[in-house]
Amino acid sequence: MQDWRAVRWGYPCENRTLKASTNHTLRLASLTPQRVQERVAQNMHDLTRILEWNSQNGFELFRVGQHFIPFASHPNFPYDWCAVHREAIGAIGQLARQRGQRLSMHPGQYINPSSPNPQVVERSLAELRYSAQLLHLLQAEDGVLVLHLGGIYDSREKSMRRFIQNLRPETEILRFLALENDERLWNLSEVLRVAEGLGVPVILDTLHHQLNPNGMDLRSAIQEVIPTWQGRGRPKLHLSSQDSSKRAGAHGDYVLLEDGIALLDALPSPEVDIMVEAKAKEQAVLRLWNDLRSLLLP
């Protein structure tokens, strides 16, 4: 088993210890410059606190909330957010680099570039452009924009072709983009095909792969995805455990020790980044570290 202390670890969007979030948002009906800027200020303040806390507590990855600039991609957004917030976002990006923090974003399931509906495609691209622009302003050279393949629609092959065709011209998105397998529709082999068509890396999600393995064990799956990261920084993986009270694929509050061990056992090298997707956020990672420490250290 690889040494968990040599892995880089992270968590998404908020910090329970600090009671800090990068996802402060508002209702669309309240979309005024003043209200938006109030939420952006909250998100910036909390992200700064989180980055400092992470660097002091052994974390090196953080996923910025998708609502960092609430409704930034909406056609009714009331001001030029890039111009207004460029300097402040740049300062946060500089802090992230100084503290050794790799940043990422992960638009939700409503982002579907493979949709046969042109309006859905355009809205999806607008949200992805916003995400890429934010990572650019944060000067996140090794930043990652995580995306699922979305729906199947009329057929798998047509959806895959549309996904590639619609994203291929989007060079700023592709600069950060990484594709992720899911627990129901798209297995790792299919995601690898699309990623190859776009020249982007693949993130393996362990829970999704457990539920949708397509005959591939975890070790083999990891060996498939690691080479896709050449030239894009350290390979990035997602770790989570099933919430036993919810639908298959729903993340639990914490990560089961056996799930963490299974991933560490399957790694060919500890030179990877692991994003823990658990509802308890950093507390889930801290508990996993304690469990591993108790099990492995004298």
Side-chain angles (χ1 to χ4, degrees), residues 156-182:
R156 288 184 178 275
E157 291 299 323
K158 289 181 180 179
S159 293
M160 293 166 78
R161 284 199 299 271
R162 278 196 302 269
F163 193 98
I164 294 171
Q165 290 168 359
N166 289 334
L167 279 169
R168 187 172 281 158
E170 301 287 336
T171 55
E172 284 304 304
I173 295 173
L174 296 179
R175 174 184 168 195
F176 299 104
L177 188 66
L179 303 182
E180 179 187 351
N181 59 313
D182 69 59

Side-chain angles (χ1 to χ4, degrees), residues 6 48 115 145 223 286:
T48 300
S115 172
L145 176 51
Q223 290 173 343
L286 293 171

Side-chain angles (χ1 to χ4, degrees), residues 17 47 50 83 85 102 129 134 140 175 191-192 206 231 263 272 276 278 283-284 295 298:
T17 304
L47 179 54
I50 290 169
H85 300 299
R102 187 183 196 183
R129 290 168 187 146
L134 182 56
R175 174 184 168 195
V191 175
L192 283 164
T206 58
L263 175 54
V272 299
V276 173
Q283 294 295 329
L295 178 68

